[in-house]
Amino acid sequence: MVRYVAITHCSGDYVGIWLVATKPNSRPFKVAMGSDPSWSPDGKYLAFTRIQGGNLSQPEWTHDVCIFDLTTNHMRVLRKQAREPFWSPKGTKIALIDESSNSIRRDFHCPILILDAQSGKVIFQTGLIRNPIEPILAPNERYLAIHPHLSRPLSGHIIIDLKTGKIIEIEPNEGYARGPLQAWSKDGKWLLWKWRVPDPENDGAWLWEEIWLVSLDAKVKRRIGRGTKAVFSPDGKHVLWLQPRKAIYDYKSNDYDLMWTPLQGRLSERLIARVQDFTLVGWKR
């Protein structure tokens, strides 16, 4: 079996989706101009946002959500005028942001669609949401998290109960502002949030960011530590995240330590010093 890693590579004004086989001396090959890669759980398909335009024949940029089949090397369009696909953990559904001409409004109000991953049939559609980004489906596929992105005030994900239609807004503790949802545990009971300490002298900015472990009912809120890029380990027993090495937040700094902490316990340990980013592709304790 050949395993692949999807890479988003920027070159000037262009962004491309590339695949690299995880074997020695492998050369990457370009799938398409695009961004937002999302793997199917079985690793056989790659959903992404294809980007077209920005040239003399097509001045305006357009987005389509496509699926690339690694077995056949065939690409198909799942939804035209859409972006940011998120493959459900069960692999049967894809959430995305619809930008079609009959749905988009002023100030980037768009609905979120949930499609059948094979047929592309719309299963669920939200109302118009202002400037939505980063759709995330819960492991049990009952909840949809979406981030109505605003620069002021600081904003974060809201959660929609797809069964009842109700909106769940998990508020941070006093002194913190909302931030993006980082990860959802496999059992659906725990969420990793990145909450921010606002800068009182600069509206829309923050002094630093912190990772918080929060139960779905928001009755339990545990501070993990300063940092970003938080994920659950595949066995669901640990949290890994990037902790900045500088005590004072620096927008330009990308110098972090890779940290981990058990869900049952308070001791945090440094795994690797001085890293910029990480992705879990395997796990063995």
Side-chain angles (χ1 to χ4, degrees), residues 68 85 185 238 282:
F68 183 79
S185 66
H238 293 80

Side-chain angles (χ1 to χ4, degrees), residues 35-36 48-52 58 60-66 78-85 95-115 122 125-135 146:
S35 60
D36 313 314
F48 63 96
T49 303
R50 182 179 66 179
I51 303 172
Q52 294 181 304
Q58 186 180 337
E60 294 188 5
W61 298 99
T62 62
H63 301 140
D64 302 321
V65 169
C66 299
L78 180 70
R79 183 83 179 183
K80 291 195 174 214
Q81 295 180 284
R83 59 181 168 88
E84 294 190 56
L96 50 77
I97 299 169
D98 183 30
E99 291 185 334
S100 60
S101 59
N102 62 347
S103 67
I104 195 167
R105 298 292 185 270
R106 291 182 61 187
D107 298 325
F108 301 102
H109 284 71
C110 305
I112 310 302
L113 306 182
I114 299 177
L115 310 182
V122 177
Q125 177 174 336
T126 70
L128 295 177
I129 298 174
R130 185 176 182 182
N131 197 25
I133 60 172
E134 302 168 348
I146 186 65

Side-chain angles (χ1 to χ4, degrees), residues 1-7 17-22 29 31 37-40 42-48 66-76 87:
M1 177 189 294
V2 179
R3 294 179 173 87
Y4 292 90
V5 176
I7 298 173
I17 296 291
W18 296 73
L19 290 176
V20 183
T22 56
F29 67 91
V31 176
S38 179
W39 286 102
S40 63
D42 60 11
K44 296 180 179 179
Y45 303 94
L46 178 68
F48 63 96
C66 299
I67 295 179
F68 183 79
D69 186 330
L70 270 75
T71 303
T72 63
N73 286 347
H74 175 71
M75 182 179 73
R76 64 184 174 93
W87 217 300

Side-chain angles (χ1 to χ4, degrees), residues 80-252:
K80 291 195 174 214
Q81 295 180 284
R83 59 181 168 88
E84 294 190 56
F86 180 90
W87 217 300
S88 71
K90 293 182 180 180
T92 59
K93 301 173 183 176
I94 292 179
L96 50 77
I97 299 169
D98 183 30
E99 291 185 334
S100 60
S101 59
N102 62 347
S103 67
I104 195 167
R105 298 292 185 270
R106 291 182 61 187
D107 298 325
F108 301 102
H109 284 71
C110 305
I112 310 302
L113 306 182
I114 299 177
L115 310 182
D116 179 270
Q118 292 300 319
S119 67
K121 180 181 178 181
V122 177
I123 301 171
F124 180 87
Q125 177 174 336
T126 70
L128 295 177
I129 298 174
R130 185 176 182 182
N131 197 25
I133 60 172
E134 302 168 348
I136 302 174
L137 277 168
N140 61 6
E141 299 184 350
R142 173 171 174 173
Y143 301 97
L144 171 67
I146 186 65
H147 185 175
H149 186 253
L150 303 173
S151 58
R152 296 177 180 82
L154 292 173
S155 59
H157 279 82
I158 59 173
I159 298 173
I160 302 173
D161 187 331
L162 300 178
K163 187 175 181 179
T164 65
K166 292 183 178 180
I167 294 178
I168 303 171
E169 296 193 59
I170 296 180
E171 297 290 344
N173 286 7
E174 186 177 355
Y176 292 87
R178 293 183 180 182
L181 175 64
Q182 300 279 278
W184 213 307
S185 66
K186 283 188 175 181
D187 61 11
K189 297 179 180 179
W190 296 96
L191 303 165
L192 287 173
W193 292 90
K194 184 166 67 174
W195 288 340
R196 292 149 174 173
V197 176
D199 184 346
E201 298 180 0
N202 188 357
D203 186 25
W206 55 88
L207 298 174
W208 65 81
E209 299 172 309
E210 295 184 0
I211 302 300
W212 284 72
L213 177 68
V214 182
S215 59
L216 183 59
D217 60 9
K219 292 182 179 180
V220 179
K221 297 179 181 178
R222 172 188 161 194
R223 180 184 180 273
I224 299 295
R226 290 192 186 188
T228 186
K229 298 273 188 180
V231 299
F232 290 99
S233 61
D235 62 11
K237 296 181 180 180
H238 293 80
V239 173
L240 294 89
W241 80 101
L242 294 179
Q243 179 175 277
R245 295 179 63 85
K246 293 184 178 180
I248 300 176
Y249 187 82
D250 183 359
Y251 286 95
K252 299 180 180 179

